[in-house]
Amino acid sequence: MQKLIPAVLAAILAFAPAAQAKDEPGVFDYWVLALTWSPQYCYNHERDQQCQRSYSFVVHGLWPQFEKGGGPEDCMDVERVERPLVLRMANIMPSSTLVQHELQEHGSCSGMNAEDYLLPTERAHRSLTMPAAYYDVPEELKTTVEEIENNFIQYNSDLNPKQIALKCSGRYLSEIRFCFDKDFNTRDCAEDVQDKCGKKVILRPTR
């Protein structure tokens, strides 16, 4: 019986998942740029730094992504983001906590330092033209997934619906995601990045 115990333990360990293993920084297939609809976020986080002013879309983050299985997260400990870089990102990421969190959660898997990760985040955001309809929404806007996607495609001729994915909280738009290759050209999203909204969508007002 005693001789069987090591064999049983070895068998268990062989099939046990490597729960503590971290993903390797720099190993991923493409990027996802996630933009949060700030009024929806602030509906539940009104004391957040981001919610002290009115915003429409703000950058949630730039995420390394795999073709299958989502994306790597929290690959290694990262440095503190220096204040000048936080201030530079403030127009698109209006929370120092958000900037630091995204660097740790996703930037740590990019294989880049803080500046080399955050500046491409700015670059990816700058490559998109925001539809005029979403700059200022004075009251609830009832729309559809198709209309939102078509509005972005109208302003960004290199986009198509397969490169865009919407996320909702109930009927309310919470986020829109865009897929880029490693050279920051738009590309189709993998199956893990799909619309998570019903046909009818509501945008909370920016005011």
Side-chain angles (χ1 to χ4, degrees):
M1 183 67 179
Q2 290 181 345
K3 292 182 178 180
L4 290 175
I5 292 176
V8 171
L9 288 173
I12 293 173
L13 291 173
F15 287 97
Q20 296 182 347
K22 285 185 176 290
D23 292 300
E24 184 178 346
V27 178
F28 62 97
D29 298 313
Y30 69 105
W31 294 105
V32 168
L33 177 70
L35 303 184
T36 296
W37 182 247
S38 189
Q40 178 60 28
Y41 174 80
C42 292
Y43 182 75
N44 296 312
H45 302 85
E46 60 182 22
R47 294 188 178 183
D48 192 283
Q49 180 183 354
Q50 172 180 321
C51 304
Q52 304 311 303
R53 291 178 54 190
S54 295
Y55 294 96
S56 52
F57 284 109
V58 301
V59 173
H60 181 173
L62 182 67
W63 305 338
Q65 199 79 10
F66 296 129
E67 295 292 350
K68 293 184 179 180
E73 294 183 356
D74 199 18
C75 293
M76 58 184 290
D77 291 335
V78 299
E79 71 266 37
R80 194 77 189 163
V81 182
E82 297 293 334
R83 181 168 173 77
L85 189 53
V86 170
L87 292 175
R88 174 167 179 161
M89 300 300 296
N91 285 337
I92 62 172
M93 298 180 77
S95 166
S96 56
T97 302
L98 174 62
V99 172
Q100 188 66 46
H101 171 79
E102 290 301 303
L103 178 64
Q104 178 61 57
E105 190 82 358
H106 301 286
S108 66
C109 298
S110 68
M112 304 172 179
N113 63 28
E115 183 172 0
D116 289 344
Y117 168 70
L118 289 169
L119 295 188
T121 302
E122 181 184 58
R123 172 187 171 190
H125 178 267
R126 193 169 56 242
S127 74
L128 295 171
T129 300
M130 297 296 140
Y134 307 131
Y135 278 115
D136 183 27
V137 179
E139 57 188 25
E140 282 194 353
L141 176 62
K142 296 180 179 179
T143 181
T144 64
V145 169
E146 183 177 13
E147 184 174 13
I148 293 171
E149 291 179 344
N150 285 342
N151 279 338
F152 273 93
I153 291 168
Q154 179 182 352
Y155 280 79
N156 301 271
S157 59
D158 55 338
L159 281 176
N160 69 61
K162 293 181 179 180
Q163 299 166 347
I164 309 170
L166 276 65
K167 180 182 176 183
C168 289
S169 176
R171 295 176 299 161
Y172 291 92
L173 180 70
S174 59
E175 198 157 271
I176 183 166
R177 298 170 180 177
F178 302 88
C179 297
F180 293 87
D181 64 23
K182 286 188 171 182
D183 294 321
F184 292 98
N185 301 303
T186 54
R187 53 150 283 172
D188 291 358
C189 301
E191 292 183 1
D192 296 315
V193 182
Q194 295 184 346
D195 288 329
K196 296 182 179 179
C197 292
K199 187 173 182 181
K200 304 284 187 179
V201 177
I202 302 174
L203 276 69
R204 293 193 187 276
T206 54
R207 301 181 189 177

